[in-house]
Amino acid sequence: RLIPAPLFRMGVREILRRQQAYLFYMHPWEIDPEQPRVEEAPRSFRFRHYVNLGKTEKRLSDMLRRFADCPFVTCYEYLKECAQTEKIGLME
């Protein structure tokens, strides 16, 4: 939410190019622009927590569309595949 979308996509592409995998995580509250506001929180916290909440769902949809050619798997599935690949490599 804090990084401009084109810059974020460029970073993801570079990570995918180098490592063939990218871990993406977001908190569920990040797609809820109507969540209650904590006005007593420090200004820096409020900025970091609430900026661009209204854009997050659209940005997530855009990211899923732009990276549709990449397989999306759970962390469990990814680690299981890595472990299986490592076992195969050790057996050769």
Side-chain angles (χ1 to χ4, degrees):
R1 287 179 305 107
L2 301 175
I3 300 171
L7 182 62
F8 186 79
R9 286 191 303 269
M10 187 173 67
V12 171
R13 283 190 188 99
E14 180 61 19
I15 292 168
L16 286 170
R17 185 184 69 75
R18 289 183 185 185
Q19 300 176 6
Q20 291 78 47
Y22 176 77
L23 174 64
F24 177 80
Y25 176 82
M26 65 182 292
H27 296 275
W29 59 261
E30 291 185 275
I31 56 172
D32 181 11
E34 302 300 320
Q35 65 186 267
R37 308 289 182 172
V38 180
E39 299 302 330
E40 299 80 22
R43 181 180 286 198
S44 61
F45 172 87
R46 290 193 320 261
F47 174 81
R48 187 180 73 244
H49 193 84
Y50 301 121
V51 72
N52 291 332
L53 282 179
K55 297 178 182 181
T56 306
E57 186 173 4
K58 182 184 178 312
R59 286 183 175 183
L60 176 60
S61 295
D62 183 59
M63 183 172 164
L64 293 172
R65 183 178 51 75
R66 287 177 185 264
F67 290 94
D69 60 326
C70 297
F72 282 79
V73 298
T74 66
C75 289
Y76 176 79
E77 291 168 327
Y78 177 73
L79 292 173
K80 187 176 171 183
E81 184 178 320
C82 288
Q84 189 65 22
T85 302
E86 189 173 302
K87 285 180 187 176
I88 291 170
L90 291 174
M91 297 172 103
E92 293 176 355

